[in-house]
Amino acid sequence: MPRTVIRGGLVITAAEETHADVLIEDEKIVALAASDSECARGWTADRTLDATGKYVIPGGVDPHTHMEMPFGGTFAADTFETGTRAAAWGGTTTIVDFAIQTKGHALREGLDAWHLKASGNCAIDYGFHMILSDVDQGSLKEMDLLVEEGVSSFKLFMAYPGVFYSDDGQILRAMQRGAANGGLIMMHAENGIAIDVLVEQALAEGRTDPRYHGEVRKALLESEATHRAIQLARVAGAPLYVVHVSAEEAVAELTQARDKGLPVFGETCPQYLFLSTDNLAEPDFEGAKYVCSTPLRPREHQAALWRGLRTNDLQVVSTDHCPFCFTGQKELGRGDFSKIPNGMPGVEHRMDLLHQAVVDGHISRRRWIEIACATPARMFGLYPKKGTIAPGADADVVIYDPAAEQTLSVETHHMNVDYSAYEGKQITGQVQTVLSRGTTVIDQREYTGRAGHGRYVPRATCQYLS
Ligand code: URP
Ligand code: ZN
Ligand code: ZN
């Protein structure tokens, strides 16, 4: 059994920071010991990785990606192959992607299709959530089977009428089913019916530029939907996870619910923490690069998001990685912002941007690991296999150089998209080496992984509820 030892680094988990050596056998972490201890010095290994002056952290767990997602007549530009390779470059070793139920079709059909897209193509491990586009007796029944086989979370949309939208009755029924079978409902909380009225009015008045995407998708319509989702979850006696929270008013709804002791959770994404409506307003249609939903908000909302992350009113930072090229894809919405495919690239940059947040003083190092690794793993039934460095865990380990300087750019990123949402942004900190189940997939900033190394990981139910 091949043995690897990582020596001399600062091991950071959500719980502690220790100068420790890490012993790996085959695909698993088997021991940690203080770096200067006799025990660690006595370890023999086939391979030694020097982490002196570096951090040794768990591989990132990104619980919200959309590889090859169909949207607005086109497909997200990253395949499972290109997207998971880019994730590895950025220190993420597990993604949970969204399989999609097509209206009128079974959940099983959608799930099978996503297995086919991913199988044999991924550089890192992956799991699936299921998007419910058609809540009826058949799909409700199928939810039970999916939970049993490791697809234990279901996304519903209060937005996108006619596409993914579910009405309140459908949402209540899905929540009731989730309460019974252990499935966690993930909510896209925006009032899509009201938004569509505002879209129609904006277009009729000639307001067609990308920035109007942000104006019609009002913060109040995010907070109203968040409030409604929370009340529906209370009625159903179900837990709730609200995805891609961007508005201060929506954070306030989550805070209020959590202060009542309700099992309500929230996720935000780097784009809401680092970008704003200023980007959506960039001239020459460049704002289209930043069209996603929920939309970017005015800069003033960011303080509430950072506060929520510090106070644990928000628990997770995912990417909602859903890239569309500017040329030929975002351009579909020239002259009509409602036709710009919704989504942004980001799977490669989450760990770095959050490390920058540590450098900037927004969060601590342990909180960085908690919101990017440990909590997403626990939330979606992957802990302690994923999300930590401990005996028995998968050897998904990143050697991170906290002093390296880098500049984010389309010239250097590995995502299959023709722009960077963070072009020119300076970051302190960079991934140096990445192990996925003990296999080196990034070796001192060289890609050594392969499509097909990544395995499907069936998940348990949410570990904050049991
Ligand atoms: O704009 C976004 N977020 N696109 C991906 C689909 C979704 O709603 O998460
Ligand atoms: Zn969404
Ligand atoms: Zn999404």
Side-chain angles (χ1 to χ4, degrees):
M1 212 178 277
R3 279 161 65 101
T4 301
V5 63
I6 305 174
R7 292 209 185 269
L10 178 68
V11 175
I12 308 172
T13 66
E16 42 207 333
E17 302 183 1
T18 38
H19 287 280
D21 294 355
V22 181
L23 182 63
I24 293 164
E25 268 181 16
D26 200 15
E27 298 196 344
K28 297 280 183 191
I29 294 166
V30 291
L32 279 83
S35 292
D36 52 5
S37 65
E38 239 174 76
C39 171
R41 278 199 298 266
W43 289 341
T44 54
D46 308 290
R47 176 173 68 148
T48 299
L49 302 177
D50 180 14
T52 308
K54 310 288 191 302
Y55 297 159
V56 178
I57 59 173
V61 178
D62 187 343
H64 189 153
T65 67
H66 301 280
M67 306 303 173
E68 302 176 44
M69 183 190 187
F71 196 105
T74 185
F75 287 84
D78 262 318
T79 61
F80 279 89
E81 180 173 353
T82 62
T84 57
R85 190 167 60 217
W89 271 103
T92 286
T93 51
T94 309
I95 60 163
V96 190
D97 202 89
F98 288 84
I100 301 181
Q101 175 198 22
T102 312
K103 261 191 189 312
H105 295 259
L107 301 189
R108 168 69 50 201
E109 227 177 286
L111 183 58
D112 286 350
W114 256 255
H115 272 296
L116 271 180
K117 291 182 203 220
S119 176
N121 290 320
C122 292
I124 55 164
D125 290 352
Y126 62 97
F128 290 123
H129 314 284
M130 189 84 220
I131 287 177
L132 297 183
S133 312
D134 204 357
V135 178
D136 61 13
Q137 283 315 314
S139 49
L140 287 167
K141 235 192 216 156
E142 278 195 281
M143 283 173 72
D144 299 356
L145 299 173
L146 263 58
V147 172
E148 275 171 28
E149 65 179 67
V151 179
S152 53
S153 38
F154 302 89
K155 185 174 178 190
L156 292 164
F157 288 78
M158 300 167 105
Y160 306 128
V163 189
F164 298 124
Y165 176 83
S166 293
D167 68 27
D168 289 355
Q170 291 173 309
I171 289 169
L172 182 63
R173 284 185 199 280
M175 286 175 166
Q176 288 169 332
R177 200 75 182 204
N181 65 24
L184 180 61
I185 299 299
M186 307 170 75
M187 190 59 73
H188 180 131
E190 288 188 290
N191 186 327
I193 302 283
I195 286 168
D196 274 8
V197 172
L198 298 180
V199 169
E200 194 186 305
Q201 291 170 347
L203 294 175
E205 290 161 14
R207 292 182 285 133
T208 61
D209 288 348
R211 71 191 163 104
Y212 295 108
H213 171 83
E215 291 193 9
V216 299
R217 304 188 87 91
K218 293 185 180 300
L220 279 177
L221 296 177
E222 181 185 344
S223 62
E224 181 278 327
T226 305
H227 180 85
R228 189 157 32 101
I230 292 168
Q231 305 314 318
L232 290 168
R234 289 176 79 180
V235 170
L240 175 68
Y241 178 95
V242 182
V243 294
H244 47 52
V245 174
S246 65
E248 176 174 8
E249 294 85 345
V251 180
E253 293 293 341
L254 295 170
T255 302
Q256 216 177 71
R258 290 182 62 80
D259 287 350
K260 287 194 174 83
L262 298 171
V264 169
F265 307 98
E267 149 202 290
T268 190
C269 312
Q271 51 270 35
Y272 306 121
L273 295 164
F274 290 93
L275 303 173
S276 73
T277 44
D278 295 350
N279 299 99
L280 266 177
E282 285 178 15
D284 301 326
F285 196 64
E286 292 276 312
K289 296 176 177 175
Y290 306 93
V291 164
C292 60
S293 297
T294 59
L296 302 186
R297 300 295 180 194
R299 202 159 282 286
E300 298 74 64
H301 289 252
Q302 291 173 359
L305 299 176
W306 288 119
R307 192 168 53 245
L309 287 171
R310 284 191 296 273
T311 57
N312 204 38
D313 289 316
L314 296 171
Q315 297 80 29
V316 169
V317 175
S318 73
T319 59
D320 193 7
H321 177 75
C322 190
F324 297 99
C325 288
F326 183 74
T327 303
Q329 292 195 297
K330 290 290 188 181
E331 282 180 330
L332 293 169
R334 272 192 198 274
D336 178 350
F337 67 82
S338 72
K339 295 201 164 61
I340 301 169
N342 284 202
M344 284 179 55
V347 76
E348 188 168 348
H349 298 320
R350 184 183 63 130
M351 299 300 287
D352 284 332
L353 287 165
L354 291 177
H355 181 259
Q356 186 60 43
V358 173
V359 173
D360 294 345
H362 289 297
I363 51 172
S364 69
R365 286 190 294 216
R366 276 172 282 162
R367 188 62 176 156
W368 169 41
I369 301 307
E370 191 164 28
I371 62 184
C373 310
T375 301
R378 283 199 172 102
M379 191 69 68
F380 297 107
L382 292 164
Y383 196 88
K385 184 179 168 70
K386 306 293 186 188
T388 193
I389 295 184
D394 281 359
D396 290 359
V397 182
V398 176
I399 300 178
Y400 195 85
D401 182 350
E405 299 288 336
Q406 58 167 319
T407 305
L408 304 186
S409 173
V410 66
E411 301 299 331
T412 47
H413 77 204
H414 302 87
M415 298 175 287
N416 185 36
V417 61
D418 63 358
Y419 72 95
S420 171
Y422 303 96
E423 189 63 44
K425 186 171 176 58
Q426 312 266 348
I427 299 275
T428 301
Q430 191 173 46
V431 167
Q432 190 187 55
T433 291
V434 179
L435 306 185
S436 164
R437 279 181 286 102
T439 296
T440 308
V441 292
I442 301 290
D443 187 0
Q444 301 194 70
R445 301 223 47 80
E446 261 191 43
Y447 182 69
T448 53
R450 66 173 176 86
H453 164 80
R455 281 189 203 138
Y456 172 67
V457 196
R459 298 179 292 110
T461 55
C462 173
Q463 292 164 308
Y464 288 102
L465 304 170
S466 47

